[in-house]
Amino acid sequence: MFDVFDLELHHLGTDYSFATQLQQTGYSHRFIVNIQDCTFHFEPDDEGNYRAIIPYGADEKAYMKTDPGLLSAVAEKIREILT
């Protein structure tokens, strides 16, 4: 079992708190973040930046309603936490 923690950030004048879970996957890791009732996986790329990934089999229409700027803010917050 993995512990869930709150990822808190401020974006465009609004404070957010998202349920987040760190998950080890082989030699890497990913953060599973629940944003507006959609679960996104944030994984590091080759440059050390985090990208949001929609889980396989998810209803893509629901995910496309999420603000891309908010996803970028979450990715940046994850990077901040780890540095």
Side-chain angles (χ1 to χ4, degrees), residues 6-7 11-12 15 20-24 31-32 40-41 49 51 54 67-68 70 72-73 75 77-79 81 83:
D6 290 327
L7 181 72
H11 176 66
L12 298 178
D15 291 322
T20 304
Q21 182 180 48
L22 172 63
Q23 188 177 70
Q24 292 296 121
F31 288 86
I32 301 171
F40 288 89
H41 296 180
N49 298 314
R51 59 181 175 227
I54 299 172
D67 174 20
L70 182 57
S72 294
K77 184 66 174 184
I78 290 171
R79 196 173 66 76
I81 290 171
T83 57

Side-chain angles (χ1 to χ4, degrees), residues 16-31:
Y16 293 95
S17 180
F18 301 117
T20 304
Q21 182 180 48
L22 172 63
Q23 188 177 70
Q24 292 296 121
T25 56
Y27 291 104
S28 188
H29 64 279
R30 66 180 168 199
F31 288 86

Side-chain angles (χ1 to χ4, degrees), residues 26-80:
Y27 291 104
S28 188
H29 64 279
R30 66 180 168 199
F31 288 86
I32 301 171
V33 184
N34 187 339
I35 301 173
Q36 301 169 340
D37 296 325
C38 293
T39 301
F40 288 89
H41 296 180
F42 286 82
E43 298 179 354
D45 61 16
D46 292 338
E47 297 173 356
N49 298 314
Y50 284 83
R51 59 181 175 227
I53 299 172
I54 299 172
Y56 179 77
D59 177 16
E60 290 184 28
K61 288 182 181 180
Y63 283 80
M64 293 302 147
K65 295 178 183 177
T66 305
D67 174 20
L70 182 57
L71 295 175
S72 294
V74 170
E76 179 61 27
K77 184 66 174 184
I78 290 171
R79 196 173 66 76
E80 279 179 24

